[in-house]
Amino acid sequence: MTDVADAERLIAARIPTTGTTIRDLDDAVGAVLRQAIRAERDQPPFDRVTMDGIAIDFSDWENGIREFEVAGTQAAGDAALDFHGAGRCIEIMTGAMLPAGANCIIPVERTSRSNDSIRVDGDAVVEKLQFIHPRGSDRLAGSELLAPGIRLGPPEVAVLASAGCAEIEVSPLPRVAVISTGDELVDVDEPIADHQIRSSNDRAIEASLKQHRVATVTRSRLRDERDVMLSAIRELHEQNDVLILSGGVSMGQYDFVPSVLEELGVELVFHRIEQRPGRPMWFGMSSDDKAVFALPGNPVSTMVCLQRYVLPALKQMLGLESDVAEIVRLSADVEFTADLAYFLPVVVTWTDDGNGIAEPRPTNTSGDFVSLAGTDGFVELPRGTDLYTAGTPARLFRW
Ligand code: AMP
Ligand code: MG
């Protein structure tokens, strides 16, 4: 059997990165950037005034001048006025370009005007270069502002706009078919008999993929009939980049998924992982580089395997930088005697000094998905011990 780290490595070694597509800046938020973005101009592009007030030559101030003749008014968006110092000033607005020859801004609050001259308060503190955001002090023209592989949020969209990027290269979302299998399943709005259950895994998988913005999703539900599965999965495989199945991968007489996938030419990479829950997980690749994840149907297993293996694989397809591990500490002792890695649902709280504390919320069984509601995710407790004492650090995987 494969252990958790091997499973992760085997998947990462096989997952291809998508090509790229061009996206309008209007639709860029949430996309994964696939090109380096360089500064169009120095940032800021000119010496930018940061206060409403007057622009002066600081040597006038040093020479004791406190009253200045107004030589002009310059707003944001005006070209720089020609400025001749010696007792003169320019009335200036925030965002304006520093007038040539000026090197000091005195805020309007420290001045009073009479006719064409402006007096500065006697007790005003005035320093050379004050209230000026110097050209190029944030970034120089041509320097890299954004690296490929980042998820574009509001600050990055602002940077793209500032760099004149109306269109950018991003990752297209992989097309993922979510396929639930099982004769017992009925959909949310269908009549239901005593021996049936409502299908929830497909909804949870779709919700996760949407929440993490890693795929476009279609859902299908298949009965446990081998030839029906064969033709339906063949078609879905042709139409999609990735398949995620739930159910039918264990040892039951109707667990046809592995044999169907192999008959469709999907090469088995591993089947079963030394973990609980989610031990029966199956992963394979087809010769056209499409990944197939067949997850056990028990809903807690499905969610844990999706989170631990499928989401990172989809992020890798998108060319996203890998997530930084988030480490939290157990709030209480946890006993787990099976020689398997243990994925334990938790609620995370934060101490005043910034430590994440994971409160165990074990489910009754891997079928008890109702107990997952309200949890933040799960921690991974590696094999090799029976007792994880309170305070043990563990990696958190958020839903
Ligand atoms: P299986 O892996 O097919 O043996 O399924 C194991 C358990 O998970 C069974 O009790 C199923 O009813 C349940 N299960 C399978 N698929 C789903 C689904 N789509 N939604 C909710 N429960 C499911
Ligand atoms: Mg089943």
Side-chain angles (χ1 to χ4, degrees):
M1 240 196 316
T2 312
D3 74 18
V4 172
D6 287 339
E8 189 175 33
R9 261 196 302 277
L10 287 166
I11 295 170
R14 300 297 294 268
I15 292 292
T17 309
T18 65
T20 63
T21 185
I22 301 295
R23 180 80 48 88
D24 264 14
L25 182 59
D26 284 341
D27 302 322
V29 71
V32 176
L33 183 68
R34 292 289 291 280
Q35 65 176 121
I37 301 294
R38 297 187 174 280
E40 182 186 35
R41 302 190 295 162
D42 289 342
Q43 192 68 19
F46 49 81
D47 292 329
R48 186 179 69 92
V49 171
T50 65
M51 278 283 184
D52 298 320
I54 58 171
I56 64 162
D57 180 347
F58 183 70
S59 57
D60 282 359
W61 181 267
E62 285 182 310
N63 292 335
I65 299 175
R66 296 294 179 266
E67 184 154 353
F68 297 84
E69 181 198 333
V70 176
T73 302
Q74 197 192 312
D78 291 345
L81 287 177
D82 239 344
F83 177 72
H84 309 284
R88 306 178 82 206
C89 70
I90 301 284
E91 277 187 308
I92 200 90
M93 313 301 151
T94 300
M97 190 172 198
L98 187 69
N103 56 10
C104 175
I105 307 296
I106 302 173
V108 67
E109 294 84 349
R110 308 317 315 261
T111 67
S112 48
R113 179 163 186 149
S114 60
N115 299 323
D116 287 340
S117 70
I118 287 180
R119 231 198 127 66
V120 180
D121 296 349
D123 60 353
V125 177
V126 176
E127 282 164 12
K128 194 174 180 182
L129 299 178
Q130 71 181 12
F131 304 120
I132 297 165
H133 183 190
R135 171 178 178 162
S137 58
D138 297 343
R139 293 290 189 282
L140 295 175
S143 62
E144 188 174 280
L145 302 179
L146 301 176
I150 57 165
R151 177 84 76 180
L152 297 171
E156 290 77 24
V157 170
V159 169
L160 290 168
S162 80
C165 300
E167 291 185 328
I168 44 164
E169 251 179 277
V170 301
S171 303
L173 291 183
R175 292 163 304 177
V176 174
V178 173
I179 307 166
S180 40
T181 70
D183 281 351
E184 72 277 37
L185 304 176
V186 300
D187 208 350
V188 62
D189 51 0
E190 289 175 334
I192 194 157
D194 286 351
H195 55 276
Q196 295 178 317
I197 64 157
R198 295 206 187 276
S199 180
S200 55
N201 287 346
D202 45 357
R203 304 283 178 165
I205 295 170
E206 181 176 14
S208 174
L209 302 184
K210 281 185 175 165
Q211 174 173 287
H212 291 274
R213 293 186 287 205
V214 289
T216 58
V217 179
T218 54
R219 277 182 285 116
S220 318
R221 190 152 41 80
L222 302 180
R223 295 186 62 90
D224 292 318
E225 284 167 30
R226 202 170 183 287
D227 33 340
V228 173
M229 281 184 153
L230 195 64
S231 66
I233 295 175
R234 176 182 284 119
E235 196 172 324
L236 289 164
H237 191 233
E238 279 162 15
Q239 295 162 348
N240 289 276
D241 303 308
V242 174
L243 300 186
I244 304 175
L245 294 104
S246 101
V249 288
S250 303
M251 308 293 276
Q253 287 179 36
Y254 302 101
D255 289 336
F256 298 128
V257 167
S259 77
V260 164
L261 292 173
E262 282 169 57
E263 185 169 338
L264 292 175
V266 184
E267 179 206 337
L268 169 68
V269 178
F270 63 77
H271 189 186
R272 296 188 192 90
I273 309 175
E274 295 172 24
Q275 63 181 29
R276 186 177 295 159
R279 189 173 174 151
M281 178 176 162
W282 189 104
F283 168 67
M285 291 292 297
S286 53
S287 54
D288 51 0
D289 256 5
K290 293 180 177 179
V292 179
F293 299 91
L295 313 181
N298 265 309
V300 181
S301 310
T302 307
M303 287 304 287
V304 161
C305 290
L306 181 78
Q307 196 63 36
R308 185 66 185 83
Y309 303 108
V310 185
L311 281 182
L314 291 171
K315 289 179 181 175
Q316 182 178 328
M317 284 186 82
L318 291 171
L320 257 181
E321 289 167 358
S322 357
D323 291 339
V324 177
E326 198 179 343
I327 307 297
V328 292
R329 288 178 188 279
L330 293 176
S331 70
D333 289 356
V334 173
E335 237 188 278
F336 181 73
T337 49
D339 186 22
L340 299 169
Y342 181 30
F343 296 125
L344 171 66
V346 294
V347 170
V348 178
T349 54
W350 292 89
T351 62
D352 289 346
D353 53 354
N355 290 309
I357 304 296
E359 187 190 312
R361 291 288 172 90
T363 60
N364 287 325
T365 64
S366 57
D368 172 24
F369 60 101
V370 176
S371 294
L372 295 183
T375 62
D376 292 298
F378 57 88
V379 289
E380 178 176 329
L381 301 176
R383 328 167 33 190
T385 176
D386 293 348
L387 178 67
Y388 306 85
T389 51
T392 299
R395 181 159 181 199
L396 174 70
F397 292 85
R398 290 183 182 276
W399 297 129

